[in-house]
Amino acid sequence: MNRKHVFGAFVACLMLLSGAWAMGWFGGDDAEVAALIAEMQNQDDMTDEQRQAFRERMRSLDDGQRQMLFGSMMQARQAEMQSRVYALSAMPPAQRRAELDKWINDMESRRKQWEAGRGGRGAGLGGGGGGPPGGEMTSAERAQRGKSRLDRSTPEMRATMTQMMKMVNERREERGMEPIGRWR
């Protein structure tokens, strides 16, 4: 091989390595993403101002950072939900009912708070929301959001959520409540 070929191969390798570095393949997590992930662990202790600042920081992320953050969030949520389903399944029936009742009461409380915050315009569980400020989501926006959520999920996560919703809905029906929409 002559010098020209060696130099060309070197430049090609350098470009490939630079591209991989730019895409975050080397050097571990992005510092801002790592900081947001650490802050998420303490979300329950945040004030409203801290939550707003956290959301603003999330909005300022670029697409690659956002994918890293949401990928990490999804993995953590999947592990948490899986352990909840396992724990519920292992509980004696009376304890399982009590735990499900607590979840259902919390869900109902959050739904009522959400509807109150919207001026009573709530569409009930499984309804719209999260759309443009001051307006409802269109059917197309809801469909796109559902598709996007499915695209980001794994078969294991969907199975876990389906099992969890089945348990919650069975208990809601036992309590004379309407079941909530299935996870999308």
Side-chain angles (χ1 to χ4, degrees), residues 16-53:
L16 285 172
L17 289 172
S18 297
W21 175 80
M23 292 180 6
W25 292 0
F26 303 122
D29 288 337
D30 178 277
E32 179 66 5
V33 172
L36 286 169
I37 290 169
E39 282 182 43
M40 274 191 295
Q41 306 301 321
N42 302 317
Q43 250 183 330
D44 293 338
D45 299 330
M46 288 183 182
T47 65
D48 288 340
E49 294 80 25
Q50 289 171 323
R51 281 192 182 92
Q52 183 61 35

Side-chain angles (χ1 to χ4, degrees), residues 122-141:
L125 291 170
E136 295 294 323
M137 286 176 61
T138 66
S139 295
E141 288 170 329

